[in-house]
Amino acid sequence: MTKWGMVIDLEKCTGCQACTAACAMENSRLPGENWQDVIFFTEGEYPSVQLKWFPRPCMHCENPSCVHVCPTGATYRTSDGVVLIDWDKCIGCKYCMIACPYGVRFYTDEKPLVAPDMRKVFGSNDGHSWSPPWRMPDSREDWKRGIGIQPRGVVSKCTFCYHRVSKASKDTADLDPSDPRQREFTPACVVACPPGARYFGDLGNPESEVSKMIADKNGVRLLDQLGNKPQVYYLTGAGAAVPSNRALKRT
Amino acid sequence: MNSATEPRNFAEVALYLARLWRQEGTLRFLAIALNLGREKSLAGEMWKYGVVIGLLSFAFVAFMLLTEGGAAFNTSSDGINWGLAVSVYIFFALTSSGLTFIASLSMVFGFREYYSIAKRCIWLAIITLGAGFAVLALELGHPFRMLWAMPAGMQYLSPMFWMGVFYLIDLVLLLIKFDRLWHDDWDSPLSHFLSIASFVAVVLASGMLGLVFGSMVMRPMWYGSFTAVYFILTAALSGAATIVLATYMAYGYRHENMPEPLRSMASGKALPKVFATLSGIALFAVVTRLWTGLWSNLDGLEGFHALVRSPAFHVEVWAGLALPFALMIAPALQRRARWQITAGALVLLGMFIDRYQFLVTGQAVPMFKGAWASGLVEYAPSVTEWMMAVLGFAIVFACYGLGEKLFNLAGDPRHRLREGAEPKPAYAETGARAD
Ligand code: SF4
Ligand code: SF4
């Protein structure tokens, strides 16, 4: 069985946030509701201070605490290793947001993160929380999998672009955006990344590019000590590092 | 203000009300209903103000939720996910559990002197739990969906699922038990069984509420089985404070008005002893938790530093716990009604702050959320969130006044013996003037 996972090479990442923009366009995200965010922070003190950045999608944990705490089963893990939300079952209790160590989840009904409130500018009258002119086609939307524009009162997060990935042929080892046959099945952030810092493939297949990279280049996972076992790995090489704690300093 | 007679079931209540309406006409009937009688009484005042304030705050919250939705709250995805409304729920749910513990003193463990507060405890436990559920329902994104999605999901790994199951069982058992007491059934095998089952359910419910937080290893300020114990112990304290206040209120804040054995309990050593022990334990729990939190440099415990800098936390520790503890061990003060009432009120204030601080500082260290969320998260509840808290208290006040008037909350098994076994007709000819 496929076990989808992602590798992000921090040595290549330039912090351009093309992934964030691509995700927002692909998944019709509300401004600020960045399923794929890039976190900027500083390390050290003047004069040896460093500006750092860190791209952070949902980790699609193998052992996802968000799934374990959900009282309704709205959050679940698919057989190909992707963690999704059923918006028809979510009661908006926000327990999953409490339990996710990586802060990747968003509650729909709250003060806008960016003004003006686009939900008011592009109001919806068909059950969606808003209705922007550039939204994802209805035929792709899938509320049972948390894909598209969500209704009110539920939680949303990165789906690994499940509407694309799930259409790839079953034995695919890697989804390489430079291969025109696979491009449309590859997650939008991976397609958009200008320096090609993101890789997507089958972690269950030892021959896949992502598996080899994790082994050869010593891929690490964020906050691994918590045991969630993310399926997003970071390559840190010589010049980059994953942040070691959450109490990041303000940039 | 205790009614001498009480209706035996809801049919009698309805019949009586219908008769009264016919006799008095709509306007006067409404006035009587709002005052719970033709004359002023404390219960009537509580009901009246509770209903009016409850309706106003509900109208405000409903308006804000319909126009703004969750944006009327100051909670946010990149900061505090669970805000004041959730802490108000915890406060009421644990107060309810504590009241059930105290009712169990007589009804499960056989301390007969506590019989005289048991019925009042159970009524208060029902209405505080109800108020907690009401506030929580307003906070959830889809409260009605919860009613089918939780049973259908059967998520046995989720602490919240079990919390829901146990609190539901707790509420149902409380209602049945109250119904038994209403029918003066204090010691039938069924009544005994209900008391024991309800004690077990409430231990599980409040412990599970603790584990909703205690299971969260990614939130180290909450993590650990100690959280369950902490919730159970502090639940007992807030339950004790509530019943002390409610009982004094029922007897005009004076020992002299109380019947025996209540009077000797309140004016003797029993009450201050229980109170001092519970507040001492809570104080110990708060301080040891703070110590380990400040001492350790584990990532995620930085919230404890925010806690010591917060003035509300100091109000909780010094005024809400240390002062009541001192009052209840001071030989010169511990048996005076005035100081017992003060201690009760301070403890409730302290517990209200405790639930809030526990909840909010536990989320103060952000989880890699967004480029602009760093350092410790700031949060202050919005007006809508405060109104939800007001609504919760209004529900408790209104329902307590109502219960005081309708159900003879001072009832105990001896009272039945004293008055003879003949059941009185519901509401004698004097009607609502029964007090
Ligand atoms: S990163 Fe968070 S939301 Fe994503 S699977 Fe892991 S625990 Fe769940
Ligand atoms: S907010 Fe929705 S998805 Fe999250 S735990 Fe609650 S019901 Fe589950």
Side-chain angles (χ1 to χ4, degrees):
Chain A
M1 197 66 212
T2 321
K3 192 169 96 181
W4 294 118
M6 190 182 278
V7 170
I8 303 177
D9 189 339
L10 293 177
E11 279 194 301
K12 283 190 185 169
C13 172
T14 61
C16 70
Q17 303 177 71
C19 49
T20 307
C23 173
M25 297 313 291
E26 176 74 20
N27 293 298
S28 318
R29 288 301 85 211
L30 195 66
E33 200 181 56
N34 299 334
W35 282 358
Q36 154 55 53
D37 212 334
V38 182
I39 298 165
F40 289 83
F41 61 103
T42 55
E43 245 171 35
E45 273 172 27
Y46 178 83
S48 47
V49 64
Q50 278 183 309
L51 173 65
K52 298 202 163 183
W53 54 89
F54 185 70
R56 189 237 45 203
C58 167
M59 304 285 151
H60 293 275
C61 306
E62 230 170 281
N63 194 5
S65 42
C66 58
V67 171
H68 300 332
V69 298
C70 179
T72 63
T75 289
Y76 63 99
R77 191 165 179 268
T78 63
S79 54
D80 46 359
V82 177
V83 174
L84 299 174
I85 307 172
D86 182 343
W87 286 333
D88 289 328
K89 276 195 197 162
C90 174
I91 58 171
C93 68
K94 305 178 264 300
Y95 198 11
C96 52
M97 300 173 66
I98 294 286
C100 168
Y102 305 104
V104 308
R105 293 177 159 255
F106 293 86
Y107 184 55
T108 311
D109 270 322
E110 57 184 32
K111 292 211 159 55
L113 289 160
V114 176
D117 189 349
M118 284 297 159
R119 289 168 301 195
K120 292 222 166 109
V121 180
F122 299 112
S124 159
N125 45 22
D126 61 358
H128 292 85
S129 52
W130 66 309
S131 182
W134 57 87
R135 61 190 262 196
M136 171 190 271
D138 282 347
S139 58
R140 285 198 155 186
E141 200 165 273
D142 185 352
W143 281 10
K144 295 266 168 236
R145 298 193 166 82
I147 295 165
I149 294 184
Q150 69 270 41
R152 296 182 68 160
V154 299
V155 167
S156 75
K157 69 164 192 70
C158 156
T159 64
F160 260 180
C161 282
Y162 202 67
H163 54 290
R164 298 168 72 115
V165 170
S166 57
K167 303 227 165 61
S169 77
K170 288 290 160 250
D171 48 358
T172 316
D174 289 281
L175 286 171
D176 180 356
S178 62
D179 179 344
R181 282 166 307 166
Q182 292 174 343
R183 195 177 166 84
E184 64 174 304
F185 307 129
T186 311
C189 57
V190 179
V191 175
C193 180
R198 304 172 84 102
Y199 305 85
F200 196 84
D202 181 3
L203 297 177
N205 180 347
E207 296 303 317
S208 68
E209 217 35 59
V210 282
S211 296
K212 284 191 207 153
M213 263 190 295
I214 293 166
D216 297 345
K217 297 188 174 172
N218 212 358
V220 295
R221 305 190 281 201
L222 189 58
L223 296 185
D224 216 5
Q225 75 275 17
L226 291 177
N228 269 34
K229 301 200 192 310
Q231 290 179 167
V232 173
Y233 285 76
Y234 294 92
L235 304 182
T236 56
V242 294
S244 53
N245 64 52
R246 298 177 283 137
L248 304 171
K249 295 247 169 60
R250 220 172 269 279
T251 49
Chain B
M1 67 193 220
N2 305 302
S3 42
T5 58
E6 54 178 325
R8 296 276 138 185
N9 53 47
F10 285 107
E12 284 184 22
V13 176
L15 251 154
Y16 170 75
L17 288 176
R19 191 150 24 95
L20 188 69
W21 191 355
R22 237 192 359 254
Q23 278 169 6
E24 303 284 345
T26 306
L27 270 184
R28 285 190 47 175
F29 172 75
L30 281 180
I32 294 175
L34 208 53
N35 281 309
L36 286 182
R38 294 187 180 81
E39 285 160 16
K40 272 198 172 186
S41 64
L42 183 57
E45 297 287 287
M46 285 176 83
W47 163 255
K48 182 165 72 188
Y49 287 111
V51 167
V52 171
I53 294 173
L55 285 177
L56 288 178
S57 53
F58 179 74
F60 180 83
V61 172
F63 174 76
M64 291 307 282
L65 285 181
L66 290 175
T67 54
E68 295 287 311
F73 302 165
N74 282 350
T75 48
S76 79
S77 293
D78 58 9
I80 301 298
N81 309 144
W82 281 346
L84 179 69
V86 175
S87 85
V88 170
Y89 161 70
I90 304 173
F91 173 77
F92 281 128
L94 289 183
T95 303
S96 163
S97 303
L99 286 158
T100 313
F101 289 146
I102 298 199
S104 306
L105 286 178
S106 54
M107 309 198 60
V108 177
F109 299 106
F111 294 101
R112 300 189 64 87
E113 62 272 32
Y114 290 94
Y115 260 129
S116 44
I117 52 171
K119 196 172 173 189
R120 192 180 303 280
C121 274
I122 292 175
W123 177 245
L124 278 165
I126 293 172
I127 63 180
T128 44
L129 194 55
F133 283 156
V135 173
L136 190 66
L138 290 170
E139 197 268 352
L140 287 179
H142 291 282
F144 295 110
R145 183 176 295 171
M146 175 183 73
L147 300 178
W148 64 261
M150 269 174 72
M154 281 310 281
Q155 292 298 301
Y156 57 87
L157 279 183
S158 168
M160 190 181 277
F161 172 77
W162 288 112
M163 178 201 79
V165 168
F166 291 140
Y167 265 120
L168 186 66
I169 296 177
D170 177 34
L171 183 62
V172 170
L173 288 176
L174 281 174
L175 287 169
I176 305 179
K177 200 158 85 167
F178 190 77
D179 179 70
R180 291 323 305 153
L181 298 191
W182 195 9
H183 292 93
D184 256 343
D185 168 14
W186 291 77
D187 34 28
S188 71
L190 174 68
S191 183
H192 260 289
F193 169 76
L194 282 171
S195 304
I196 294 170
S198 134
F199 177 73
V200 173
V202 85
V203 170
L204 292 175
S206 51
M208 209 63 223
L209 178 55
L211 292 185
V212 164
F213 301 95
S215 309
M216 300 293 101
V217 71
M218 65 298 289
R219 306 271 186 183
M221 283 185 74
W222 294 339
Y223 180 65
S225 58
F226 172 69
T227 307
V229 180
Y230 179 71
F231 271 34
I232 291 176
L233 290 174
T234 50
L237 176 61
S238 56
T242 307
I243 192 64
V244 167
L245 287 183
T247 308
Y248 270 113
M249 217 183 271
Y251 296 102
Y253 303 103
R254 301 174 80 91
H255 286 153
E256 301 85 83
N257 299 346
M258 295 182 180
E260 284 296 344
L262 202 55
R263 190 187 322 156
S264 40
M265 192 163 82
S267 55
K269 288 240 178 214
L271 191 149
K273 249 192 213 158
V274 172
F275 221 160
T277 311
L278 288 175
S279 50
I281 291 175
L283 191 60
F284 182 77
V286 167
V287 172
T288 47
R289 180 172 173 262
L290 185 69
W291 167 275
T292 49
L294 288 176
W295 196 91
S296 164
N297 40 26
L298 180 72
D299 170 43
L301 289 181
E302 293 85 348
F304 279 107
H305 296 274
L307 198 57
V308 271
R309 282 195 301 270
S310 141
F313 176 71
H314 288 277
V315 173
E316 174 199 334
V317 171
W318 300 111
L321 290 171
L323 183 59
F325 178 70
L327 289 176
M328 287 303 100
I329 55 169
L333 308 174
Q334 61 181 177
R335 290 154 76 171
R336 301 258 186 84
R338 182 192 310 163
W339 296 112
Q340 290 177 351
I341 296 164
T342 310
L346 286 173
V347 159
L348 271 193
L349 173 72
M351 286 294 105
F352 186 83
I353 299 175
D354 183 79
R355 309 305 180 209
Y356 175 80
Q357 296 278 4
F358 175 88
L359 186 74
V360 169
T361 51
Q363 303 167 67
V365 181
M367 306 259 206
F368 292 114
K369 175 66 83 178
W372 48 82
S374 45
L376 291 186
V377 176
E378 307 277 332
Y379 166 77
S382 67
V383 178
T384 309
E385 292 174 87
W386 279 115
M387 278 301 154
M388 287 162 76
V390 170
L391 173 62
F393 282 100
I395 292 175
V396 171
F397 271 87
C399 295
Y400 182 61
L402 190 67
E404 181 72 59
K405 197 71 180 191
L406 287 186
F407 297 128
N408 183 19
L409 296 181
D412 68 28
R414 268 159 295 211
H415 133 102
R416 183 189 50 185
L417 294 180
R418 266 200 314 274
E419 293 192 353
E422 273 299 292
K424 294 247 167 76
Y427 279 65
E429 287 318 299
T430 45
R433 220 179 308 179
D435 46 339

